[in-house]
Amino acid sequence: MSVKIGSACEATHAEVASTLQKESAHVLIDAKQQDYFVKKYDRNMLWIVCILYVLSYIDRGNIGNAKTAGAQDDLGLSSSQWAWVLNSFYICYTLFEWATLLWKIFPAHIYVTIICICWGVAAMSAGAATNMAGLAISRAFLGVLEAGFGAGAPFYLSIFYQRKELGLRVALLTGMSPLANCFAASLAYGITHIKGSLEPWRLLFIIEGAPTIAFAPIVYFFLPDSPNTAKFLSEDEQTRAVERMHTRDTTAKSKLNWKQVTAGLSDYQNYVHALIHFCCNYSFAGLSNFLPTIVQNLGYTSIQAQGLTAPPYLAAFILCVLVAFCSDKYGNRGFVVAGFSFLGAIGYLLLATLEDTKYNSVRYLGIWLACCGVFPALAMNIAWLLNNQGGESKRGAGLSVLAIFGQTSSFLSSAMFPKEDRPYFVKGCAIGCAFTGLICILALGLHFKLERENKKRDADTGPIDASEALDLTELSDKHPKFRYIT
């Protein structure tokens, strides 16, 4: 038995040594050149993905504005039927979030263009619904198509940006969600003032779905597939764009490394992140679907409620960006996620406990705190996962775990704010408070666990050179010189 154990250990050490021998020592690209590439990506690629994210969240989140504009009443749907309309999107979105891996297989500019056109058509078709089945089917198709884009976009960015650059960009990307909700609320406020033959909620779906289709040609002609094929870089720049990454994965662009996929599916970190995302996503989906209704029940008209939901979302977006800057500067994720989730828990606590109209102004403050707490925590959690997955295939697998399991809380939130619970929706807000509080515990636990692992590796290998290039094709983040961001 001891001989077998010794042989296994020797084989493991031999694998590590072999991998280390294959690596070149340093990437000789100075800070000025690094900044050049980052600015190139920001100017030529990032804005396209961010606009797509805005369009995506407008098309999925306008169902809440449509409800306030009269969709549920006009179609004669009960609270349980409306919950099924909402869940038709989330069920399909969850079932197809494995499509994150398709970003690794197909050219991005073709893949995204096709689903962009299709989800725009699906979004607009909701305006033609005459019953529950029609609305549910259009939302189901929207869920399938948006899963192909939304879940994989952060992974796509991780191909272009280094770990230290990724947090800001992923936070900016996911921060597009509250910005999109802000736009959607503002558009809904204007659209509900239109007097015509169509009901305002039908116009809302049609008008907000059309820009997605119009944006598809820009995606096709300008979205790069990868750094080594980006048209805005010269051939020499394409080569150096690949070399500048401090970690390398020699797996072919169009192939999956199944060893990495297996590692991603078995890594405990991904399931902690998935549980954090589960808790965040309860609020994420609940706020998108029911915030206009919650605001309306503070004593405002439908039109006023559409306008009053915009400011908290705008504040949440600004915080997402500011937090990303600070988090990237100090290299910390866990404390940021825990701190903002605590802020969100306070907001939900105010909403769940203050059941009197004289506290409506304080309840509106609670809405601000919930939005400004949940969205930055969600954004940083996604960036945190991507930072600590070595290798493209493992990042794709890890993001799929987070997206699929984390998305399931959307089903719960869809049923926790029925119109029978108005005006205070205590049950839904109390669950939101519990979930955001749990995020604090999970984030702090993961932070200290990763910090301990880094110290253990420091003791084994000594200090590391931050500019050293690591080939993570075989060992992924288990490489002895890989350090986790905590």
Side-chain angles (χ1 to χ4, degrees):
M1 179 66 71
S2 60
V3 174
K4 291 182 179 179
I5 294 174
S7 299
C9 292
E10 288 175 5
T12 301
H13 289 307
E15 182 182 3
V16 172
S18 175
T19 301
L20 291 174
Q21 288 173 0
K22 293 178 183 177
E23 297 171 1
S24 58
H26 293 81
V27 177
L28 302 176
I29 299 180
D30 60 32
K32 186 176 180 180
Q33 289 178 312
Q34 297 281 21
D35 290 340
Y36 170 80
F37 283 111
V38 172
K39 290 177 181 177
K40 272 277 191 177
Y41 295 149
D42 289 346
R43 285 196 299 262
N44 293 279
M45 177 266 295
L46 183 62
W47 67 272
I48 297 176
V49 184
C50 285
I51 290 176
L52 283 169
Y53 237 59
V54 169
L55 295 172
S56 168
Y57 280 111
I58 286 177
D59 290 339
R60 81 166 69 171
N62 58 15
I63 189 72
N65 300 109
K67 179 179 185 291
T68 307
Q72 182 178 359
D73 294 333
D74 288 350
L75 295 177
L77 304 183
S78 66
S79 293
S80 61
Q81 288 175 317
W82 188 257
W84 274 109
V85 169
L86 299 179
N87 281 332
S88 63
F89 173 89
Y90 294 120
I91 290 171
C92 292
Y93 193 96
T94 302
L95 290 176
F96 282 85
E97 283 194 293
W98 57 266
T100 296
L101 296 173
L102 297 180
W103 287 77
K104 173 71 176 166
I105 298 173
F106 298 112
H109 76 286
I110 297 176
Y111 172 67
V112 178
T113 298
I114 293 172
I115 61 175
C116 184
I117 294 171
C118 293
W119 103 54
V121 172
M124 293 179 69
S125 68
T130 57
N131 51 37
M132 173 188 166
L135 187 57
I137 290 171
S138 66
R139 295 291 295 178
F141 276 109
L142 186 66
V144 171
L145 296 162
E146 287 206 12
F149 169 75
F155 164 77
Y156 172 74
L157 293 186
S158 72
I159 298 173
F160 292 86
Y161 293 100
Q162 293 179 355
R163 297 170 73 209
K164 64 181 181 181
E165 303 157 355
L166 190 62
L168 173 61
R169 276 78 193 177
V170 170
L172 185 63
L173 185 66
T174 51
M176 292 297 113
S177 168
L179 184 63
N181 287 329
C182 176
F183 285 156
S186 301
L187 285 170
Y189 181 76
I191 292 170
T192 50
H193 281 85
I194 298 175
K195 304 299 181 182
S197 57
L198 287 178
E199 295 94 329
W201 63 269
R202 295 187 187 277
L203 285 174
L204 191 109
F205 284 127
I206 295 169
I207 292 174
E208 292 186 350
T212 305
I213 299 173
F215 194 68
I218 295 176
V219 175
Y220 182 80
F221 288 108
F222 297 103
L223 187 71
D225 296 330
S226 63
N228 60 326
T229 60
K231 295 178 182 178
F232 52 82
L233 299 177
S234 66
E235 288 187 14
D236 180 63
E237 287 174 340
Q238 290 173 355
T239 301
R240 297 184 74 75
V242 175
E243 290 176 346
R244 84 180 193 93
M245 304 299 284
H246 287 166
T247 59
R248 294 201 310 273
D249 185 345
T250 58
T251 306
K253 174 68 181 72
S254 60
K255 294 182 179 179
L256 291 174
N257 183 322
W258 287 104
K259 183 177 180 180
Q260 288 186 21
V261 171
T262 303
L265 295 177
S266 60
D267 191 340
Y268 78 92
Q269 288 184 61
N270 294 334
Y271 293 95
V272 176
H273 286 297
L275 187 52
I276 292 174
H277 193 68
F278 177 93
C279 296
C280 285
N281 205 60
Y282 171 87
S283 300
F284 180 86
L287 291 172
S288 296
N289 293 329
F290 296 105
L291 186 56
T293 302
I294 295 172
V295 173
Q296 184 180 9
N297 280 277
L298 294 178
Y300 299 101
T301 65
S302 170
I303 294 177
Q304 289 173 329
Q306 304 284 15
L308 286 171
T309 56
Y313 283 135
L314 180 60
F317 165 71
I318 294 171
L319 274 176
C320 282
V321 177
L322 292 177
V323 166
F325 272 110
C326 296
S327 182
D328 273 5
K329 181 178 180 180
Y330 297 106
N332 187 283
R333 301 282 189 257
F335 288 149
V336 172
V337 174
F340 276 92
S341 61
F342 181 73
L343 181 68
I346 293 175
Y348 272 116
L349 185 63
L350 294 176
L351 289 169
T353 56
L354 300 179
E355 301 180 53
D356 197 313
T357 55
K358 68 181 180 180
Y359 296 122
N360 278 351
S361 59
V362 183
R363 287 175 57 80
Y364 187 57
L365 172 63
I367 290 171
W368 276 72
L369 295 177
C371 289
C372 292
V374 168
F375 286 106
L378 182 144
M380 281 293 97
N381 181 53
I382 296 174
W384 197 8
L385 177 145
L386 290 171
N387 285 150
N388 290 333
Q389 301 295 299
E392 292 180 11
S393 296
K394 188 177 181 185
R395 281 199 296 271
L399 200 57
S400 295
V401 170
L402 176 140
I404 292 172
F405 290 103
Q407 190 68 37
T408 54
S409 59
S410 302
F411 309 143
L412 178 63
S413 69
S414 297
M416 289 300 104
F417 295 88
K419 60 184 179 182
E420 291 79 11
D421 285 359
R422 58 190 177 190
Y424 301 115
F425 302 99
V426 174
K427 177 173 60 179
C429 294
I431 294 173
C433 180
F435 279 165
T436 46
L438 178 59
I439 295 170
C440 294
I441 299 172
L442 294 171
L444 291 175
L446 184 58
H447 166 83
F448 291 117
K449 177 68 171 67
L450 295 178
E451 189 174 61
R452 180 182 177 186
E453 179 62 28
N454 284 344
K455 290 179 179 177
K456 182 180 178 182
R457 293 186 185 183
D458 284 341
D460 291 340
T461 64
I464 60 170
D465 184 347
S467 66
E468 186 172 357
L470 305 179
D471 189 333
L472 304 180
T473 308
E474 295 299 324
L475 297 179
S476 194
D477 53 276
K478 300 304 179 184
H479 192 291
K481 292 189 176 182
F482 185 94
R483 295 296 181 269
Y484 295 109
I485 291 179
T486 62

